Amino acid sequence: MLAKDHAITDFEVEHDFLDIGHRCMLLNASKIAREDGRDDLILLAIEDITRRRADESTIRQSEQRLKDLIEALPGAIYTTDAEGLITSYNLAAIELWGREPELGSDDWCGSWRMYRPDGTPLLHDECPMAVALKEGR
């Protein structure tokens, strides 16, 4: 039974069914009052989200493998959002910059000076990250 004027929203239930095996179900329920004095009705929606949960788990595992790989690389690697704020980095980036950036508030460039392969200075607004951010790539 539903409590008076309440609904159940996105309630997850896991169950092992005899014929179909383990399932994860999402329940939504709401009471429908009838004006003619008859008993209220309950509208119940059940969605099988077993596949969705399995897919989410696969994605989380894949993301963790990628994070572990990036962390293990000897070169400095970092990512930013579209505004150029750092969203992730590896230990080599910390070693290069000499400090740990603050996620979501430090700008994309942790370097003080940059140089081209031939040793000439590279201006910040000419480096690949600045160009990509400027061009929305």
Side-chain angles (χ1 to χ4, degrees):
M1 277 289 155
L2 290 174
K4 186 174 181 154
D5 299 323
H6 285 96
I8 295 173
T9 305
D10 295 339
F11 183 78
E12 285 189 35
V13 176
E14 292 190 35
H15 186 75
D16 291 314
F17 293 92
L18 206 50
D19 293 334
I20 60 175
H22 184 82
R23 292 289 186 259
C24 184
M25 311 299 274
L26 189 65
L27 306 178
N28 288 284
S30 60
K31 191 179 289 189
I32 300 174
R34 300 201 291 186
E35 296 180 9
D36 59 6
R38 293 186 294 167
D39 289 339
D40 293 341
L41 298 175
I42 295 176
L43 176 62
L44 176 64
I46 303 172
E47 180 183 0
D48 184 348
I49 60 169
T50 307
R51 183 70 196 172
R52 181 191 323 167
R53 289 295 176 253
D55 292 346
E56 289 168 351
S57 177
T58 300
I59 289 169
R60 277 192 304 278
Q61 291 170 4
S62 177
E63 288 171 342
Q64 187 61 52
R65 280 193 305 274
L66 179 60
K67 184 178 178 182
D68 293 344
L69 173 66
I70 289 171
E71 191 60 47
L73 292 172
I77 297 179
Y78 64 98
T79 61
T80 71
D81 62 16
E83 285 76 45
L85 299 177
I86 295 174
T87 56
S88 68
Y89 54 88
N90 67 357
L91 288 176
I94 294 172
E95 291 172 15
L96 174 70
W97 297 331
R99 68 178 189 88
E100 190 167 348
E102 188 175 324
L103 294 180
S105 66
D106 277 350
D107 285 332
W108 63 270
C109 189
S111 59
W112 200 335
R113 293 185 200 135
M114 295 179 286
Y115 298 93
R116 299 178 196 284
D118 66 4
T120 59
L122 177 65
L123 299 175
H124 280 110
D125 63 348
E126 295 175 350
C127 82
M129 180 60 89
V131 173
L133 290 168
K134 197 182 316 178
E135 295 177 0
R137 294 191 273 154

PDB file of all heavy atoms in Angstrom, residues 56-94:
ATOM      1  N   GLU A  56      26.455   0.023 -17.254  1.00  0.00           N
ATOM      2  CA  GLU A  56      27.080   1.042 -16.400  1.00  0.00           C
ATOM      3  C   GLU A  56      28.316   0.480 -15.705  1.00  0.00           C
ATOM      4  O   GLU A  56      29.336   1.153 -15.587  1.00  0.00           O
ATOM      5  CB  GLU A  56      26.081   1.569 -15.366  1.00  0.00           C
ATOM      6  CG  GLU A  56      24.995   2.429 -15.966  1.00  0.00           C
ATOM      7  CD  GLU A  56      23.858   2.719 -14.999  1.00  0.00           C
ATOM      8  OE1 GLU A  56      23.816   2.119 -13.891  1.00  0.00           O
ATOM      9  OE2 GLU A  56      22.994   3.551 -15.354  1.00  0.00           O
ATOM     10  N   SER A  57      28.241  -0.760 -15.271  1.00  0.00           N
ATOM     11  CA  SER A  57      29.388  -1.412 -14.635  1.00  0.00           C
ATOM     12  C   SER A  57      30.535  -1.573 -15.631  1.00  0.00           C
ATOM     13  O   SER A  57      31.703  -1.321 -15.296  1.00  0.00           O
ATOM     14  CB  SER A  57      28.980  -2.773 -14.071  1.00  0.00           C
ATOM     15  OG  SER A  57      30.095  -3.425 -13.531  1.00  0.00           O
ATOM     16  N   THR A  58      30.229  -1.965 -16.849  1.00  0.00           N
ATOM     17  CA  THR A  58      31.240  -2.110 -17.890  1.00  0.00           C
ATOM     18  C   THR A  58      31.914  -0.772 -18.180  1.00  0.00           C
ATOM     19  O   THR A  58      33.143  -0.701 -18.318  1.00  0.00           O
ATOM     20  CB  THR A  58      30.616  -2.684 -19.179  1.00  0.00           C
ATOM     21  OG1 THR A  58      30.049  -3.960 -18.879  1.00  0.00           O
ATOM     22  CG2 THR A  58      31.625  -2.809 -20.295  1.00  0.00           C
ATOM     23  N   ILE A  59      31.135   0.277 -18.246  1.00  0.00           N
ATOM     24  CA  ILE A  59      31.682   1.622 -18.499  1.00  0.00           C
ATOM     25  C   ILE A  59      32.588   2.045 -17.351  1.00  0.00           C
ATOM     26  O   ILE A  59      33.694   2.559 -17.578  1.00  0.00           O
ATOM     27  CB  ILE A  59      30.547   2.640 -18.725  1.00  0.00           C
ATOM     28  CG1 ILE A  59      29.873   2.372 -20.073  1.00  0.00           C
ATOM     29  CG2 ILE A  59      31.081   4.073 -18.653  1.00  0.00           C
ATOM     30  CD1 ILE A  59      28.587   3.133 -20.284  1.00  0.00           C
ATOM     31  N   ARG A  60      32.153   1.826 -16.106  1.00  0.00           N
ATOM     32  CA  ARG A  60      32.987   2.185 -14.946  1.00  0.00           C
ATOM     33  C   ARG A  60      34.317   1.430 -14.971  1.00  0.00           C
ATOM     34  O   ARG A  60      35.377   2.011 -14.711  1.00  0.00           O
ATOM     35  CB  ARG A  60      32.241   1.897 -13.639  1.00  0.00           C
ATOM     36  CG  ARG A  60      31.298   2.989 -13.209  1.00  0.00           C
ATOM     37  CD  ARG A  60      30.809   2.788 -11.786  1.00  0.00           C
ATOM     38  NE  ARG A  60      30.178   1.507 -11.550  1.00  0.00           N
ATOM     39  CZ  ARG A  60      28.910   1.211 -11.832  1.00  0.00           C
ATOM     40  NH1 ARG A  60      28.139   2.128 -12.369  1.00  0.00           N
ATOM     41  NH2 ARG A  60      28.429   0.008 -11.578  1.00  0.00           N
ATOM     42  N   GLN A  61      34.279   0.160 -15.308  1.00  0.00           N
ATOM     43  CA  GLN A  61      35.506  -0.643 -15.376  1.00  0.00           C
ATOM     44  C   GLN A  61      36.426  -0.125 -16.486  1.00  0.00           C
ATOM     45  O   GLN A  61      37.647  -0.031 -16.300  1.00  0.00           O
ATOM     46  CB  GLN A  61      35.171  -2.114 -15.598  1.00  0.00           C
ATOM     47  CG  GLN A  61      34.513  -2.765 -14.409  1.00  0.00           C
ATOM     48  CD  GLN A  61      33.976  -4.153 -14.735  1.00  0.00           C
ATOM     49  OE1 GLN A  61      34.146  -4.674 -15.825  1.00  0.00           O
ATOM     50  NE2 GLN A  61      33.305  -4.758 -13.759  1.00  0.00           N
ATOM     51  N   SER A  62      35.852   0.227 -17.623  1.00  0.00           N
ATOM     52  CA  SER A  62      36.636   0.747 -18.736  1.00  0.00           C
ATOM     53  C   SER A  62      37.267   2.089 -18.368  1.00  0.00           C
ATOM     54  O   SER A  62      38.439   2.346 -18.678  1.00  0.00           O
ATOM     55  CB  SER A  62      35.737   0.903 -19.967  1.00  0.00           C
ATOM     56  OG  SER A  62      36.455   1.459 -21.038  1.00  0.00           O
ATOM     57  N   GLU A  63      36.488   2.947 -17.719  1.00  0.00           N
ATOM     58  CA  GLU A  63      37.022   4.239 -17.278  1.00  0.00           C
ATOM     59  C   GLU A  63      38.167   4.049 -16.288  1.00  0.00           C
ATOM     60  O   GLU A  63      39.164   4.763 -16.346  1.00  0.00           O
ATOM     61  CB  GLU A  63      35.914   5.097 -16.657  1.00  0.00           C
ATOM     62  CG  GLU A  63      34.928   5.624 -17.669  1.00  0.00           C
ATOM     63  CD  GLU A  63      33.718   6.291 -17.023  1.00  0.00           C
ATOM     64  OE1 GLU A  63      33.459   6.068 -15.812  1.00  0.00           O
ATOM     65  OE2 GLU A  63      33.021   7.039 -17.737  1.00  0.00           O
ATOM     66  N   GLN A  64      38.052   3.070 -15.397  1.00  0.00           N
ATOM     67  CA  GLN A  64      39.107   2.816 -14.425  1.00  0.00           C
ATOM     68  C   GLN A  64      40.366   2.302 -15.104  1.00  0.00           C
ATOM     69  O   GLN A  64      41.482   2.701 -14.749  1.00  0.00           O
ATOM     70  CB  GLN A  64      38.635   1.830 -13.350  1.00  0.00           C
ATOM     71  CG  GLN A  64      39.629   1.644 -12.223  1.00  0.00           C
ATOM     72  CD  GLN A  64      39.906   2.939 -11.469  1.00  0.00           C
ATOM     73  OE1 GLN A  64      38.995   3.627 -11.031  1.00  0.00           O
ATOM     74  NE2 GLN A  64      41.173   3.285 -11.307  1.00  0.00           N
ATOM     75  N   ARG A  65      40.198   1.428 -16.107  1.00  0.00           N
ATOM     76  CA  ARG A  65      41.361   0.934 -16.848  1.00  0.00           C
ATOM     77  C   ARG A  65      42.087   2.085 -17.552  1.00  0.00           C
ATOM     78  O   ARG A  65      43.319   2.163 -17.543  1.00  0.00           O
ATOM     79  CB  ARG A  65      40.946  -0.132 -17.862  1.00  0.00           C
ATOM     80  CG  ARG A  65      40.736  -1.504 -17.259  1.00  0.00           C
ATOM     81  CD  ARG A  65      40.629  -2.586 -18.317  1.00  0.00           C
ATOM     82  NE  ARG A  65      39.601  -2.349 -19.319  1.00  0.00           N
ATOM     83  CZ  ARG A  65      38.316  -2.696 -19.183  1.00  0.00           C
ATOM     84  NH1 ARG A  65      37.906  -3.303 -18.092  1.00  0.00           N
ATOM     85  NH2 ARG A  65      37.465  -2.449 -20.142  1.00  0.00           N
ATOM     86  N   LEU A  66      41.324   2.987 -18.169  1.00  0.00           N
ATOM     87  CA  LEU A  66      41.915   4.141 -18.848  1.00  0.00           C
ATOM     88  C   LEU A  66      42.627   5.043 -17.843  1.00  0.00           C
ATOM     89  O   LEU A  66      43.753   5.495 -18.092  1.00  0.00           O
ATOM     90  CB  LEU A  66      40.838   4.926 -19.598  1.00  0.00           C
ATOM     91  CG  LEU A  66      41.323   6.177 -20.328  1.00  0.00           C
ATOM     92  CD1 LEU A  66      42.376   5.828 -21.376  1.00  0.00           C
ATOM     93  CD2 LEU A  66      40.151   6.909 -20.950  1.00  0.00           C
ATOM     94  N   LYS A  67      41.996   5.284 -16.703  1.00  0.00           N
ATOM     95  CA  LYS A  67      42.612   6.113 -15.660  1.00  0.00           C
ATOM     96  C   LYS A  67      43.915   5.480 -15.178  1.00  0.00           C
ATOM     97  O   LYS A  67      44.927   6.166 -15.013  1.00  0.00           O
ATOM     98  CB  LYS A  67      41.637   6.282 -14.494  1.00  0.00           C
ATOM     99  CG  LYS A  67      42.129   7.187 -13.406  1.00  0.00           C
ATOM    100  CD  LYS A  67      41.095   7.351 -12.320  1.00  0.00           C
ATOM    101  CE  LYS A  67      41.625   8.234 -11.213  1.00  0.00           C
ATOM    102  NZ  LYS A  67      40.697   8.387 -10.124  1.00  0.00           N
ATOM    103  N   ASP A  68      43.913   4.173 -14.956  1.00  0.00           N
ATOM    104  CA  ASP A  68      45.114   3.464 -14.516  1.00  0.00           C
ATOM    105  C   ASP A  68      46.213   3.544 -15.567  1.00  0.00           C
ATOM    106  O   ASP A  68      47.392   3.726 -15.237  1.00  0.00           O
ATOM    107  CB  ASP A  68      44.799   1.999 -14.193  1.00  0.00           C
ATOM    108  CG  ASP A  68      43.901   1.836 -12.982  1.00  0.00           C
ATOM    109  OD1 ASP A  68      43.742   2.799 -12.200  1.00  0.00           O
ATOM    110  OD2 ASP A  68      43.341   0.734 -12.821  1.00  0.00           O
ATOM    111  N   LEU A  69      45.848   3.413 -16.836  1.00  0.00           N
ATOM    112  CA  LEU A  69      46.816   3.502 -17.921  1.00  0.00           C
ATOM    113  C   LEU A  69      47.450   4.886 -17.973  1.00  0.00           C
ATOM    114  O   LEU A  69      48.671   5.018 -18.042  1.00  0.00           O
ATOM    115  CB  LEU A  69      46.147   3.175 -19.260  1.00  0.00           C
ATOM    116  CG  LEU A  69      47.004   3.379 -20.504  1.00  0.00           C
ATOM    117  CD1 LEU A  69      48.160   2.393 -20.522  1.00  0.00           C
ATOM    118  CD2 LEU A  69      46.156   3.241 -21.756  1.00  0.00           C
ATOM    119  N   ILE A  70      46.624   5.921 -17.916  1.00  0.00           N
ATOM    120  CA  ILE A  70      47.136   7.295 -17.957  1.00  0.00           C
ATOM    121  C   ILE A  70      48.036   7.566 -16.762  1.00  0.00           C
ATOM    122  O   ILE A  70      49.087   8.189 -16.890  1.00  0.00           O
ATOM    123  CB  ILE A  70      45.966   8.301 -18.039  1.00  0.00           C
ATOM    124  CG1 ILE A  70      45.328   8.213 -19.438  1.00  0.00           C
ATOM    125  CG2 ILE A  70      46.426   9.716 -17.727  1.00  0.00           C
ATOM    126  CD1 ILE A  70      44.050   8.991 -19.589  1.00  0.00           C
ATOM    127  N   GLU A  71      47.658   7.063 -15.617  1.00  0.00           N
ATOM    128  CA  GLU A  71      48.466   7.267 -14.408  1.00  0.00           C
ATOM    129  C   GLU A  71      49.827   6.600 -14.541  1.00  0.00           C
ATOM    130  O   GLU A  71      50.830   7.107 -14.029  1.00  0.00           O
ATOM    131  CB  GLU A  71      47.724   6.726 -13.182  1.00  0.00           C
ATOM    132  CG  GLU A  71      48.349   7.114 -11.882  1.00  0.00           C
ATOM    133  CD  GLU A  71      48.431   8.614 -11.669  1.00  0.00           C
ATOM    134  OE1 GLU A  71      47.438   9.314 -11.890  1.00  0.00           O
ATOM    135  OE2 GLU A  71      49.511   9.092 -11.279  1.00  0.00           O
ATOM    136  N   ALA A  72      49.889   5.489 -15.237  1.00  0.00           N
ATOM    137  CA  ALA A  72      51.141   4.746 -15.364  1.00  0.00           C
ATOM    138  C   ALA A  72      52.082   5.323 -16.415  1.00  0.00           C
ATOM    139  O   ALA A  72      53.268   4.988 -16.423  1.00  0.00           O
ATOM    140  CB  ALA A  72      50.828   3.283 -15.698  1.00  0.00           C
ATOM    141  N   LEU A  73      51.585   6.177 -17.293  1.00  0.00           N
ATOM    142  CA  LEU A  73      52.438   6.733 -18.348  1.00  0.00           C
ATOM    143  C   LEU A  73      53.483   7.680 -17.760  1.00  0.00           C
ATOM    144  O   LEU A  73      53.196   8.430 -16.826  1.00  0.00           O
ATOM    145  CB  LEU A  73      51.589   7.478 -19.377  1.00  0.00           C
ATOM    146  CG  LEU A  73      50.666   6.600 -20.218  1.00  0.00           C
ATOM    147  CD1 LEU A  73      49.744   7.449 -21.062  1.00  0.00           C
ATOM    148  CD2 LEU A  73      51.477   5.655 -21.093  1.00  0.00           C
ATOM    149  N   PRO A  74      54.685   7.648 -18.306  1.00  0.00           N
ATOM    150  CA  PRO A  74      55.741   8.509 -17.769  1.00  0.00           C
ATOM    151  C   PRO A  74      55.603   9.978 -18.179  1.00  0.00           C
ATOM    152  O   PRO A  74      56.185  10.851 -17.543  1.00  0.00           O
ATOM    153  CB  PRO A  74      57.016   7.900 -18.352  1.00  0.00           C
ATOM    154  CG  PRO A  74      56.580   7.222 -19.604  1.00  0.00           C
ATOM    155  CD  PRO A  74      55.178   6.738 -19.338  1.00  0.00           C
ATOM    156  N   GLY A  75      54.847  10.260 -19.227  1.00  0.00           N
ATOM    157  CA  GLY A  75      54.674  11.643 -19.683  1.00  0.00           C
ATOM    158  C   GLY A  75      53.532  12.340 -18.954  1.00  0.00           C
ATOM    159  O   GLY A  75      52.591  11.706 -18.494  1.00  0.00           O
ATOM    160  N   ALA A  76      53.637  13.661 -18.857  1.00  0.00           N
ATOM    161  CA  ALA A  76      52.591  14.464 -18.210  1.00  0.00           C
ATOM    162  C   ALA A  76      51.343  14.479 -19.088  1.00  0.00           C
ATOM    163  O   ALA A  76      51.399  14.832 -20.260  1.00  0.00           O
ATOM    164  CB  ALA A  76      53.087  15.881 -17.967  1.00  0.00           C
ATOM    165  N   ILE A  77      50.222  14.082 -18.508  1.00  0.00           N
ATOM    166  CA  ILE A  77      48.948  14.054 -19.225  1.00  0.00           C
ATOM    167  C   ILE A  77      47.890  14.694 -18.345  1.00  0.00           C
ATOM    168  O   ILE A  77      47.826  14.445 -17.139  1.00  0.00           O
ATOM    169  CB  ILE A  77      48.541  12.609 -19.579  1.00  0.00           C
ATOM    170  CG1 ILE A  77      49.577  12.011 -20.509  1.00  0.00           C
ATOM    171  CG2 ILE A  77      47.152  12.569 -20.195  1.00  0.00           C
ATOM    172  CD1 ILE A  77      49.315  10.598 -20.912  1.00  0.00           C
ATOM    173  N   TYR A  78      47.051  15.524 -18.980  1.00  0.00           N
ATOM    174  CA  TYR A  78      45.941  16.126 -18.247  1.00  0.00           C
ATOM    175  C   TYR A  78      44.779  16.352 -19.209  1.00  0.00           C
ATOM    176  O   TYR A  78      44.967  16.346 -20.424  1.00  0.00           O
ATOM    177  CB  TYR A  78      46.356  17.440 -17.577  1.00  0.00           C
ATOM    178  CG  TYR A  78      46.743  18.541 -18.538  1.00  0.00           C
ATOM    179  CD1 TYR A  78      45.828  19.530 -18.894  1.00  0.00           C
ATOM    180  CD2 TYR A  78      48.011  18.596 -19.088  1.00  0.00           C
ATOM    181  CE1 TYR A  78      46.178  20.530 -19.775  1.00  0.00           C
ATOM    182  CE2 TYR A  78      48.369  19.595 -19.964  1.00  0.00           C
ATOM    183  CZ  TYR A  78      47.445  20.569 -20.307  1.00  0.00           C
ATOM    184  OH  TYR A  78      47.788  21.561 -21.188  1.00  0.00           O
ATOM    185  N   THR A  79      43.593  16.523 -18.660  1.00  0.00           N
ATOM    186  CA  THR A  79      42.407  16.829 -19.451  1.00  0.00           C
ATOM    187  C   THR A  79      41.760  18.071 -18.883  1.00  0.00           C
ATOM    188  O   THR A  79      41.965  18.423 -17.714  1.00  0.00           O
ATOM    189  CB  THR A  79      41.387  15.670 -19.441  1.00  0.00           C
ATOM    190  OG1 THR A  79      40.965  15.441 -18.089  1.00  0.00           O
ATOM    191  CG2 THR A  79      41.974  14.403 -20.023  1.00  0.00           C
ATOM    192  N   THR A  80      40.976  18.732 -19.737  1.00  0.00           N
ATOM    193  CA  THR A  80      40.254  19.928 -19.297  1.00  0.00           C
ATOM    194  C   THR A  80      38.805  19.855 -19.767  1.00  0.00           C
ATOM    195  O   THR A  80      38.459  19.055 -20.636  1.00  0.00           O
ATOM    196  CB  THR A  80      40.864  21.215 -19.892  1.00  0.00           C
ATOM    197  OG1 THR A  80      40.573  21.278 -21.285  1.00  0.00           O
ATOM    198  CG2 THR A  80      42.363  21.300 -19.659  1.00  0.00           C
ATOM    199  N   ASP A  81      38.004  20.735 -19.200  1.00  0.00           N
ATOM    200  CA  ASP A  81      36.657  20.902 -19.728  1.00  0.00           C
ATOM    201  C   ASP A  81      36.719  21.906 -20.880  1.00  0.00           C
ATOM    202  O   ASP A  81      37.802  22.365 -21.259  1.00  0.00           O
ATOM    203  CB  ASP A  81      35.680  21.326 -18.618  1.00  0.00           C
ATOM    204  CG  ASP A  81      36.026  22.656 -17.975  1.00  0.00           C
ATOM    205  OD1 ASP A  81      36.834  23.427 -18.538  1.00  0.00           O
ATOM    206  OD2 ASP A  81      35.481  22.938 -16.894  1.00  0.00           O
ATOM    207  N   ALA A  82      35.572  22.264 -21.454  1.00  0.00           N
ATOM    208  CA  ALA A  82      35.528  23.154 -22.611  1.00  0.00           C
ATOM    209  C   ALA A  82      36.045  24.554 -22.292  1.00  0.00           C
ATOM    210  O   ALA A  82      36.477  25.283 -23.184  1.00  0.00           O
ATOM    211  CB  ALA A  82      34.101  23.235 -23.154  1.00  0.00           C
ATOM    212  N   GLU A  83      36.038  24.933 -21.023  1.00  0.00           N
ATOM    213  CA  GLU A  83      36.533  26.257 -20.628  1.00  0.00           C
ATOM    214  C   GLU A  83      38.023  26.238 -20.321  1.00  0.00           C
ATOM    215  O   GLU A  83      38.614  27.274 -20.028  1.00  0.00           O
ATOM    216  CB  GLU A  83      35.773  26.782 -19.407  1.00  0.00           C
ATOM    217  CG  GLU A  83      34.360  27.267 -19.716  1.00  0.00           C
ATOM    218  CD  GLU A  83      33.398  26.108 -19.922  1.00  0.00           C
ATOM    219  OE1 GLU A  83      33.428  25.154 -19.122  1.00  0.00           O
ATOM    220  OE2 GLU A  83      32.634  26.152 -20.903  1.00  0.00           O
ATOM    221  N   GLY A  84      38.636  25.065 -20.342  1.00  0.00           N
ATOM    222  CA  GLY A  84      40.063  24.965 -20.092  1.00  0.00           C
ATOM    223  C   GLY A  84      40.432  24.713 -18.645  1.00  0.00           C
ATOM    224  O   GLY A  84      41.604  24.785 -18.274  1.00  0.00           O
ATOM    225  N   LEU A  85      39.461  24.377 -17.810  1.00  0.00           N
ATOM    226  CA  LEU A  85      39.754  24.061 -16.416  1.00  0.00           C
ATOM    227  C   LEU A  85      40.151  22.594 -16.304  1.00  0.00           C
ATOM    228  O   LEU A  85      39.512  21.718 -16.897  1.00  0.00           O
ATOM    229  CB  LEU A  85      38.555  24.363 -15.525  1.00  0.00           C
ATOM    230  CG  LEU A  85      38.099  25.828 -15.497  1.00  0.00           C
ATOM    231  CD1 LEU A  85      36.860  25.980 -14.630  1.00  0.00           C
ATOM    232  CD2 LEU A  85      39.215  26.731 -15.004  1.00  0.00           C
ATOM    233  N   ILE A  86      41.201  22.319 -15.557  1.00  0.00           N
ATOM    234  CA  ILE A  86      41.728  20.964 -15.445  1.00  0.00           C
ATOM    235  C   ILE A  86      40.713  20.045 -14.764  1.00  0.00           C
ATOM    236  O   ILE A  86      40.170  20.373 -13.710  1.00  0.00           O
ATOM    237  CB  ILE A  86      43.061  20.970 -14.672  1.00  0.00           C
ATOM    238  CG1 ILE A  86      44.118  21.735 -15.480  1.00  0.00           C
ATOM    239  CG2 ILE A  86      43.540  19.548 -14.403  1.00  0.00           C
ATOM    240  CD1 ILE A  86      45.435  21.929 -14.765  1.00  0.00           C
ATOM    241  N   THR A  87      40.449  18.895 -15.405  1.00  0.00           N
ATOM    242  CA  THR A  87      39.503  17.920 -14.862  1.00  0.00           C
ATOM    243  C   THR A  87      40.189  16.634 -14.416  1.00  0.00           C
ATOM    244  O   THR A  87      39.623  15.888 -13.627  1.00  0.00           O
ATOM    245  CB  THR A  87      38.422  17.576 -15.905  1.00  0.00           C
ATOM    246  OG1 THR A  87      39.060  17.115 -17.094  1.00  0.00           O
ATOM    247  CG2 THR A  87      37.557  18.801 -16.216  1.00  0.00           C
ATOM    248  N   SER A  88      41.382  16.356 -14.936  1.00  0.00           N
ATOM    249  CA  SER A  88      42.154  15.205 -14.481  1.00  0.00           C
ATOM    250  C   SER A  88      43.610  15.393 -14.892  1.00  0.00           C
ATOM    251  O   SER A  88      43.915  16.187 -15.790  1.00  0.00           O
ATOM    252  CB  SER A  88      41.604  13.896 -15.053  1.00  0.00           C
ATOM    253  OG  SER A  88      41.810  13.840 -16.447  1.00  0.00           O
ATOM    254  N   TYR A  89      44.496  14.641 -14.239  1.00  0.00           N
ATOM    255  CA  TYR A  89      45.922  14.726 -14.521  1.00  0.00           C
ATOM    256  C   TYR A  89      46.600  13.502 -13.930  1.00  0.00           C
ATOM    257  O   TYR A  89      46.020  12.796 -13.117  1.00  0.00           O
ATOM    258  CB  TYR A  89      46.531  15.998 -13.915  1.00  0.00           C
ATOM    259  CG  TYR A  89      46.255  16.128 -12.439  1.00  0.00           C
ATOM    260  CD1 TYR A  89      47.098  15.560 -11.498  1.00  0.00           C
ATOM    261  CD2 TYR A  89      45.113  16.779 -11.991  1.00  0.00           C
ATOM    262  CE1 TYR A  89      46.819  15.647 -10.147  1.00  0.00           C
ATOM    263  CE2 TYR A  89      44.830  16.869 -10.646  1.00  0.00           C
ATOM    264  CZ  TYR A  89      45.684  16.310  -9.725  1.00  0.00           C
ATOM    265  OH  TYR A  89      45.404  16.386  -8.389  1.00  0.00           O
ATOM    266  N   ASN A  90      47.849  13.263 -14.353  1.00  0.00           N
ATOM    267  CA  ASN A  90      48.587  12.135 -13.784  1.00  0.00           C
ATOM    268  C   ASN A  90      49.750  12.641 -12.926  1.00  0.00           C
ATOM    269  O   ASN A  90      50.015  13.855 -12.866  1.00  0.00           O
ATOM    270  CB  ASN A  90      49.037  11.158 -14.866  1.00  0.00           C
ATOM    271  CG  ASN A  90      50.072  11.731 -15.808  1.00  0.00           C
ATOM    272  OD1 ASN A  90      50.443  12.894 -15.721  1.00  0.00           O
ATOM    273  ND2 ASN A  90      50.525  10.910 -16.739  1.00  0.00           N
ATOM    274  N   LEU A  91      50.447  11.712 -12.286  1.00  0.00           N
ATOM    275  CA  LEU A  91      51.554  12.089 -11.397  1.00  0.00           C
ATOM    276  C   LEU A  91      52.682  12.783 -12.155  1.00  0.00           C
ATOM    277  O   LEU A  91      53.334  13.686 -11.612  1.00  0.00           O
ATOM    278  CB  LEU A  91      52.092  10.856 -10.671  1.00  0.00           C
ATOM    279  CG  LEU A  91      51.187  10.288  -9.577  1.00  0.00           C
ATOM    280  CD1 LEU A  91      51.790   9.010  -9.003  1.00  0.00           C
ATOM    281  CD2 LEU A  91      50.964  11.312  -8.475  1.00  0.00           C
ATOM    282  N   ALA A  92      52.908  12.378 -13.407  1.00  0.00           N
ATOM    283  CA  ALA A  92      53.962  13.026 -14.190  1.00  0.00           C
ATOM    284  C   ALA A  92      53.650  14.503 -14.414  1.00  0.00           C
ATOM    285  O   ALA A  92      54.566  15.329 -14.457  1.00  0.00           O
ATOM    286  CB  ALA A  92      54.140  12.296 -15.526  1.00  0.00           C
ATOM    287  N   ALA A  93      52.378  14.853 -14.533  1.00  0.00           N
ATOM    288  CA  ALA A  93      52.007  16.269 -14.681  1.00  0.00           C
ATOM    289  C   ALA A  93      52.327  17.033 -13.396  1.00  0.00           C
ATOM    290  O   ALA A  93      52.819  18.168 -13.452  1.00  0.00           O
ATOM    291  CB  ALA A  93      50.525  16.399 -15.037  1.00  0.00           C
ATOM    292  N   ILE A  94      52.071  16.436 -12.260  1.00  0.00           N
ATOM    293  CA  ILE A  94      52.397  17.077 -10.975  1.00  0.00           C
ATOM    294  C   ILE A  94      53.903  17.312 -10.891  1.00  0.00           C
ATOM    295  O   ILE A  94      54.355  18.398 -10.498  1.00  0.00           O
ATOM    296  CB  ILE A  94      51.926  16.205  -9.788  1.00  0.00           C
ATOM    297  CG1 ILE A  94      50.414  16.104  -9.759  1.00  0.00           C
ATOM    298  CG2 ILE A  94      52.441  16.789  -8.468  1.00  0.00           C
ATOM    299  CD1 ILE A  94      49.891  15.102  -8.734  1.00  0.00           C
TER     300      ILE A  94
END
